[in-house]
Amino acid sequence: MRALGEPSRLRLVRQLLDGPHPVNDLCDALDLQPYNASRHLAVLKSAGLVKVEKVSKQRIYRLAETFSDKLTKNDRVLDLGCCRFDFNQLPR
């Protein structure tokens, strides 16, 4: 829950709902500096929400399977039992 408590991290997760992305694409899409994006992605990774794969010189981020399993069928609502995050309703 704490990892999702920051707007930039929510925006990153929402972007990753569409599939894996290299960090540079995430920076461009969300208008983030690479340093800031990397820091936020590190928090999400340590919380077990994203996975990273190194391909050549790039790092490709994707949602972790354990996190993806908690998404409802439309893949935009995270149901944790105690609470729900609707990524469609969050500010961009």
Side-chain angles (χ1 to χ4, degrees):
M1 294 295 293
R2 192 175 207 176
L4 292 174
E6 207 285 332
S8 292
R9 291 194 284 266
L10 284 171
R11 291 172 56 221
L12 285 163
V13 169
R14 184 183 8 221
Q15 193 71 24
L16 291 171
L17 288 171
D18 296 330
H21 292 285
V23 70
N24 290 337
D25 290 356
L26 293 169
C27 291
D28 292 343
L30 301 174
D31 196 28
L32 292 172
Q33 295 297 315
Y35 175 80
N36 291 333
S38 294
R39 300 282 295 193
H40 289 304
L41 287 163
V43 170
L44 293 170
K45 182 181 173 207
S46 70
L49 302 178
V50 299
K51 296 276 187 184
V52 62
E53 176 185 354
K54 187 175 180 183
V55 177
S56 187
K57 292 183 179 183
Q58 289 188 334
R59 301 235 185 310
I60 310 294
Y61 287 86
R62 72 182 75 245
L63 293 178
E65 294 82 22
T66 54
F67 181 73
S68 296
D69 291 345
K70 292 184 179 6
L71 292 168
T72 59
K73 289 182 182 178
N74 68 3
D75 292 341
R76 295 285 181 184
V77 178
L78 174 64
D79 190 352
L80 298 174
C82 64
C83 55
R84 294 168 51 106
F85 284 94
D86 186 342
F87 288 95
N88 291 319
Q89 308 243 336
L90 296 172
R92 297 209 178 253

